Amino acid sequence: MNEQVVAAGSEDIDWGVSGAEEGRIKKYNPLSKNVHTSLPSPLPDPVKCTLVKGDYLYFHYGCDGQDDRGWGCGYRTIETMASWICHNCSPPKYQTRPPPSLPEIQQALVAMGDKPGSFSGSREWIGTFEASLVLDYFYDVPCKLVHIRGGAAELEHVAVEELHQHFEKHGSPVMMGGDRDNSSKGILGVCTGDKGSNLLVVDPHYYGCQLEKTELQRRGWVAWKRVSSLDQTSFYNLVCLRLPKK
C-alpha cells in the first residue's frame, strides 16, 4: 500500500490498542475527518437541504492495511457510521468502543448466528441488513431499515423525504445499498430543488494513500449525485441509525 500521508483535516486514530493487533487501525494510519465540509451546494437556490451533524471519519478500501477491494464496501460504510457513534454519542462507553475491524464484523455476524462459521476470514460482502445487526451488536443502537422499491417516483419522493427527516432528527450517516446497484455507499445529506434532489455520497471504494478532503472531493469520492443518476431498475435499502437513549 502507498505511504500514508497526514493531511490537514485528518485525524490520527489512536484507539488505545497496539498497532500490531490484527485488523485494527494502526496508530500511524490517519483517517480523514468530515470529508464533506466545504463542498459547494449542488443547487444555487435549494428548496431544502439537510446534512449530517457532528464528526465522523472516512473509512475506505485498504485504510487499515487490509486489501478488501471488491468486497469490503459494506464493512467500510459500517465503520464510518460507527465512527460517528464514537464521536457523537454518550455515555462515554461509545468513545471507548472503536469502530469494529473487518474480522470483528465477521466474527460478530457468526456469533449472532446470522452467518456460518466459514464466513469468518472470508471475502464475502455484506449488505444493509447485516449493517443493522452489527451496529446494534457493538453499540446497542437500533437502526431503521427503509426499503425503496426503485423507480423515479419512489427515489425522488419516498427516499428523499425519509432522508430529510432522518438528517433533521438524528443527523447520522446513512448506509445505502441495493440489488442491481449493490455497491454500498454512505449518504451524508440531501438537497432538494424545483427539478429534483441530490444526495451527498461518501464512496468507500477509494483505495490508496490518505488524501486531503479537497482532493477526495475533486476526484469524486465525496460528491453530490443527482437522485436521477441512481439505477432506476434497482431497489434500495437505507440503514438509518437511531440515537441511543442518554
Side-chain angles (χ1 to χ4, degrees):
M1 191 173 175
N2 294 334
E3 179 181 356
Q4 300 299 321
V5 179
V6 180
S10 297
E11 180 168 292
D12 195 359
I13 299 303
D14 180 2
W15 295 115
V17 296
S18 168
E21 188 175 346
E22 183 180 358
R24 289 291 191 180
I25 302 300
K26 299 175 177 58
K27 293 173 71 173
Y28 57 80
N29 186 8
L31 294 178
S32 297
K33 185 178 181 180
N34 301 339
V35 293
H36 74 289
T37 55
S38 302
L39 189 68
S41 171
L43 301 172
D45 189 21
V47 174
K48 189 175 185 180
C49 194
T50 53
L51 300 171
V52 65
K53 302 169 186 172
D55 297 333
Y56 64 90
L57 301 172
Y58 172 49
F59 284 78
H60 56 83
Y61 280 165
C63 64
D64 55 2
Q66 180 170 357
D67 186 351
D68 54 319
R69 285 176 289 180
W71 60 275
C73 56
Y75 299 80
R76 300 306 185 182
T77 305
I78 290 172
E79 290 179 320
T80 293
M81 297 172 77
S83 75
W84 185 91
I85 297 173
C86 294
H87 279 92
N88 298 283
C89 295
S90 58
K93 68 178 182 178
Y94 296 109
Q95 283 90 53
T96 59
R97 165 65 254 188
S101 64
L102 274 62
E104 286 177 326
I105 291 172
Q106 292 186 337
Q107 291 160 12
L109 289 168
V110 171
M112 283 183 276
D114 181 69
K115 302 292 183 186
S118 58
F119 178 73
S120 187
S122 72
R123 295 189 169 215
E124 294 186 36
W125 60 271
I126 57 177
T128 50
F129 177 69
E130 290 91 345
S132 66
L133 293 177
V134 168
L135 291 165
D136 194 29
Y137 180 88
F138 283 108
Y139 297 100
D140 193 27
V141 177
C143 297
K144 179 182 179 181
L145 280 171
V146 181
H147 179 67
I148 309 298
R149 289 179 295 176
E154 286 280 313
L155 290 168
E156 285 284 1
H157 299 293
V158 178
V160 165
E161 185 54 34
E162 282 284 349
L163 288 168
H164 275 307
Q165 291 180 11
H166 171 79
F167 289 119
E168 286 175 341
K169 185 175 182 180
H170 299 283
S172 58
V174 172
M175 178 175 175
M176 186 176 193
D179 58 343
R180 289 183 180 273
D181 178 4
N182 57 16
S183 295
S184 172
K185 51 187 73 70
I187 307 299
L188 303 177
V190 58
C191 193
T192 299
D194 294 330
K195 297 182 179 180
S197 296
N198 291 258
L199 303 181
L200 180 50
V201 177
V202 58
D203 191 339
H205 296 86
Y206 168 66
Y207 181 80
C209 64
Q210 302 302 327
L211 300 174
E212 294 185 18
K213 65 182 179 182
T214 52
E215 184 63 13
L216 288 167
Q217 294 171 9
R218 189 186 71 81
R219 297 190 187 188
W221 296 109
V222 184
W224 287 101
K225 306 285 187 181
R226 289 191 60 82
V227 171
S228 59
S229 70
L230 295 172
D231 189 333
Q232 303 296 306
T233 65
S234 177
F235 74 70
Y236 288 94
N237 290 323
L238 304 175
V239 183
C240 303
L241 284 171
R242 288 320 193 219
L243 291 174
K245 294 181 180 179
K246 296 182 180 181

